[in-house]
Amino acid sequence: MMTSERLRQLITFVTFAALVGYWSTTGYFGYELIAEIAVFAILAMSLDLVAGYTGLVSLGHGALFGFGAYMFGLFTVKLGIAPATGMAAAIVATTICALLVAMVVVRVHGIFFIMITLAIGEMGYEFFFKYRYLGGDDGLVGLPRLDLSGIGVNLSDPSVFALAMIVVTLCVFLVLAYLLRTPYGRVLTGIHENPQRMRALGFPIRAYRISAFALSGAIAGLAGTLTAQHTQFITPQLLHWTTSGEVLVMIILGGLGSLVGPIIGAAIVTLLRHELSSYTDYWGFWLGVFLIIVVVSRKDGIVGWLDYLRQLVAERRRPETAEEA
Amino acid sequence: MLTDGGFWIVQILNSLQLSMLLFLLSVGLTVIFGLLNFVNLAHGSLYMLGAMIGYSIATATGSVWLSFFGAPVAVMIIGAVLYKLLIERMRTAGPMNQVLVTFGLIFVLMDIARYIWGTDQLGVTGNIPFYGTIEVFGQFYPSYRLFIIAVGLITYAVLYVLLERTRLGSEVRAGVDDGETASCMGINVEATFFGVFLLGCALAGLAGAIALPAFSATPDMGVGILVPTLVVVVVGGLGSLKGAIVGSLLIGTTLTFGTALIPNFAGIIMYALLVAVLLLKPEGLYPVRA
């Protein structure tokens, strides 16, 4: 009988195989789609780390994402730093920003945590919307891509860029999957499930929450620098709370706290947005209906549904084997 | 500019007018928050529907007055349907699921509005009550905007009497304070909740309908007003009528004067205020539960 763990490994394998398969058969438009899916997959995994595993539902992750993109723009376009250094510096800057935010926001819980992250995110949105030096509401253009010609990789080729994005997504997935298996990751899950017990066991839960949020911020910042390199044009809209909401939607559709679910969710939302919008002007309606059905069904998204199917199959098999015995 | 008394008078009236719109929205949201423990991000969408339905009523009948009564009733009916279909079963689902379902509702309601009314800005022009300007302390000010202020203040007065001086009000307050004990004392908390939810929906519809002649209506107007409304609710304290009016005045004034004096930082000040309240007094300025 297949275990839940095995099923997830299978889903992960199929997801990445599908991405690579799509990449090998598609053209320019498909490459752009893949890059967009990858960006949101990374962002969604970073939010899953805090929302799904640590139990901190942030509605300000879009702001960290946008902050990373703007830091990349600041360092490369405005200060003329090389893209590789600029990218590293932008991720460090976003991590520090997330760390400072985390030290403030972990004091409040539940709905108040959602509100405070929303408020801080909107402050960031307002700032970049008004800050003329970085383009204000016009956005910032001319962002460079990483120059990897030294190792024979030409990132200005859309096909190569899309494949590189799949590789980065896989790396982030593997790092997070490893991290969540370490004692550190187990403590995070424990804090989500029962903070009082973890505190009683002597774990400094505030320090764990802050560090998880900062780590998640680093990955959100990475996603920001990647979207900046993908579209080479950034606007304050990246920081808006509706971006954070959409990422939360991706996680829920795919499966909260499953790490692979967010990747599937990112793919579904991105594909729906592009495919449905060519059939109907009202793709938001269908996305909304889909989202409501998933949440009301309370089965933890697509990964949850598949796991439920696995259980059904397992239960149907069990009496048969009993008869044979 | 700053030494000109007229500037201050106009800005004070503007901030009162914005505050009263925020009050009509936040008072409904705050009781839904406080009484039902339900996070309703779609409350702004009800405001949008109020404006849209108000537009249809006003253009069909030629009477803007009629829209002030018809729109709240229509939005209340929509609210009743939403409550029975979705909200009732999401009551115990935790804040994240509630955020997600109502976030989905924002998309659904916005696209329904786009389908019915299109994406153009809608406005009513003819037959607006209190058309023209009136002189206030030597300044000419649109009298319709004074009407909005009056509607907000009257609503506050009515709600105050309803909540503080009637049996229904004491049942509502008992429900907010301790729902379990209240139902043990024979109060039908479920029915009270439903009634309060409908009242909140009607007030959101009213806010949309009376905002329409002063501004214009678009399908995304509900998203824009949502965040300031949430800020008012959290700053004032969940479930608190006093908190809703004080929070509305605070946020309305901050936004109006912020935009007039330091346009680049008006929004940031509002969010900073929210963060400060959450850190220093997380239960809000006027908490209902001690």
Side-chain angles (χ1 to χ4, degrees):
Chain A
M1 195 190 104
M2 197 195 284
T3 62
S4 188
E5 183 69 26
R6 260 292 150 87
L7 177 75
R8 279 193 194 183
Q9 287 170 356
L10 183 68
I11 296 171
T12 311
F13 178 77
V14 170
T15 305
F16 278 99
L19 277 174
V20 174
Y22 182 51
W23 172 82
S24 64
T25 55
T26 188
Y28 176 75
F29 183 67
Y31 298 140
E32 294 303 300
L33 268 183
I34 288 171
E36 197 177 323
I37 290 170
V39 163
F40 281 103
I42 294 167
L43 181 57
M45 283 190 282
S46 96
L47 184 55
D48 199 25
L49 174 67
V50 282
Y53 288 94
T54 321
L56 303 169
V57 182
S58 160
L59 210 49
H61 253 55
L64 290 170
F65 172 61
F67 186 81
Y70 268 97
M71 286 301 110
F72 181 71
L74 170 72
F75 292 137
T76 55
V77 177
K78 291 293 173 183
L79 303 179
I81 296 170
T85 325
M87 195 173 157
I91 293 169
V92 171
T94 314
T95 312
I96 294 169
C97 175
L99 182 68
L100 295 175
V101 169
M103 287 159 81
V104 175
V105 297
V106 294
R107 292 157 180 263
V108 294
H109 304 286
I111 180 60
F112 298 107
F113 186 83
I114 298 179
M115 288 299 137
I116 199 166
T117 48
L118 179 125
I120 292 177
E122 285 299 279
M123 277 162 86
Y125 168 75
E126 291 274 340
F127 176 78
F128 285 105
F129 192 85
K130 295 279 165 64
Y131 190 45
R132 291 307 309 174
Y133 175 68
L134 287 174
D137 54 337
D138 293 334
L140 192 62
V141 290
L143 293 110
R145 283 185 183 175
L146 224 51
D147 182 11
L148 294 181
S149 55
I151 53 169
V153 176
N154 176 17
L155 283 184
S156 56
D157 179 347
S159 150
V160 175
F161 187 80
L163 188 62
M165 293 294 287
I166 297 177
V167 172
V168 178
T169 309
L170 182 63
C171 291
V172 171
F173 175 84
L174 292 174
V175 167
L176 284 178
Y178 171 75
L179 182 87
L180 289 164
R181 283 170 168 275
T182 62
Y184 173 81
R186 298 293 188 200
V187 173
L188 292 186
T189 314
I191 289 173
H192 181 195
E193 280 163 12
N194 195 334
Q196 283 82 7
R197 181 180 296 165
M198 295 310 279
R199 185 180 286 130
L201 287 170
F203 290 102
I205 64 171
R206 177 177 280 191
Y208 272 94
R209 280 181 171 146
I210 291 174
S211 61
F213 196 91
L215 185 66
S216 168
I219 300 166
L222 167 71
T225 63
L226 293 173
T227 196
Q229 294 180 59
H230 170 225
T231 55
Q232 302 187 288
F233 166 63
I234 53 177
T235 66
Q237 190 61 36
L238 296 174
L239 291 97
H240 199 253
W241 75 270
T242 46
T243 306
S244 312
E246 265 180 47
V247 179
L248 207 52
V249 169
M250 292 171 182
I251 298 180
I252 297 305
L253 290 184
L256 180 79
S258 68
L259 213 52
V260 63
I263 304 177
I264 300 173
I268 291 173
V269 174
T270 310
L271 289 173
L272 272 182
R273 185 183 313 158
H274 287 283
E275 292 301 313
L276 272 181
S277 60
S278 60
Y279 294 109
T280 165
D281 287 336
Y282 305 105
W283 74 274
F285 175 83
W286 297 108
L287 180 70
V289 169
F290 190 30
L291 172 67
I292 291 169
I293 291 171
V294 170
V295 179
V296 172
S297 82
R298 309 236 189 136
K299 284 279 185 297
D300 283 335
I302 288 170
V303 171
W305 283 343
L306 291 172
D307 200 50
Y308 181 66
L309 277 180
R310 177 191 64 82
Q311 286 171 19
L312 282 185
V313 171
E315 272 166 28
R316 192 168 293 175
R317 273 203 197 141
R318 207 168 291 143
E320 285 173 22
T321 43
E323 267 175 358
E324 280 164 24
Chain B
M1 180 175 84
L2 297 183
T3 52
D4 174 15
F7 165 80
W8 291 100
I9 289 168
V10 170
Q11 292 303 332
I12 288 169
L13 289 173
N14 280 343
S15 66
L16 272 176
Q17 179 245 303
L18 177 63
S19 301
M20 288 308 131
L21 273 185
L22 283 176
F23 170 70
L24 287 179
L25 277 171
S26 57
V27 71
L29 192 57
T30 200
V31 286
I32 293 168
F33 246 124
L35 196 58
L36 285 75
N37 276 321
F38 187 82
V39 186
N40 184 12
L41 291 189
H43 201 69
S45 305
L46 298 174
Y47 165 75
M48 178 272 293
L49 288 176
M52 294 290 177
I53 293 169
Y55 169 82
S56 291
I57 293 175
T59 45
T61 63
S63 164
V64 175
W65 273 111
L66 212 57
S67 74
F68 296 160
F69 296 97
V73 172
V75 173
M76 195 167 82
I77 294 167
I78 295 169
V81 173
L82 290 180
Y83 189 89
K84 287 295 170 196
L85 282 181
L86 274 180
I87 290 168
E88 201 166 37
R89 69 181 71 181
M90 297 307 295
R91 287 260 316 276
T92 54
M96 188 178 74
N97 287 328
Q98 295 169 351
V99 162
L100 283 159
V101 161
T102 52
F103 190 68
L105 265 183
I106 293 179
F107 284 117
V108 171
L109 295 177
M110 186 152 72
D111 268 2
I112 289 176
R114 284 173 59 211
Y115 181 76
I116 299 175
W117 289 282
T119 50
D120 294 339
Q121 290 201 341
L122 304 177
V124 286
T125 44
N127 273 329
I128 297 176
F130 308 104
Y131 189 72
T133 56
I134 191 169
E135 200 177 326
V136 185
F137 299 111
Q139 293 296 315
F140 287 98
Y141 196 76
S143 31
Y144 185 77
R145 291 183 173 224
L146 292 180
F147 167 70
I148 296 180
I149 297 174
V151 170
L153 291 175
I154 292 167
T155 308
Y156 174 71
V158 170
L159 288 176
Y160 180 82
V161 172
L162 201 66
L163 271 176
E164 303 289 332
R165 297 276 181 271
T166 66
R167 163 133 194 120
L168 179 72
S170 56
E171 287 183 2
V172 171
R173 282 182 288 127
V176 174
D177 197 43
D178 187 340
E180 273 182 34
T181 310
S183 53
C184 290
M185 308 291 274
I187 296 170
N188 188 346
V189 179
E190 287 302 311
T192 315
F193 282 173
F194 186 50
V196 165
F197 182 81
L198 292 187
L199 181 66
C201 294
L203 288 175
L206 176 66
I210 67 164
L212 175 72
F215 310 99
S216 52
T218 55
D220 57 0
M221 69 192 284
V223 182
I225 198 87
L226 173 69
V227 176
T229 309
L230 285 172
V231 174
V232 168
V233 169
V234 176
V235 166
L238 305 188
S240 158
L241 177 67
K242 197 172 172 190
I245 187 92
V246 173
S248 300
L249 288 167
L250 203 60
I251 298 302
T253 312
T254 307
L255 280 177
T256 310
F257 280 92
T259 311
L261 299 173
I262 31 170
N264 283 350
F265 292 102
I268 295 185
I269 296 172
M270 176 179 79
Y271 297 118
L273 200 68
L274 173 66
V275 173
V277 167
L278 277 175
L279 292 178
L280 301 174
K281 215 168 178 307
E283 66 279 17
L285 295 178
Y286 296 97
V288 172
R289 295 187 185 92

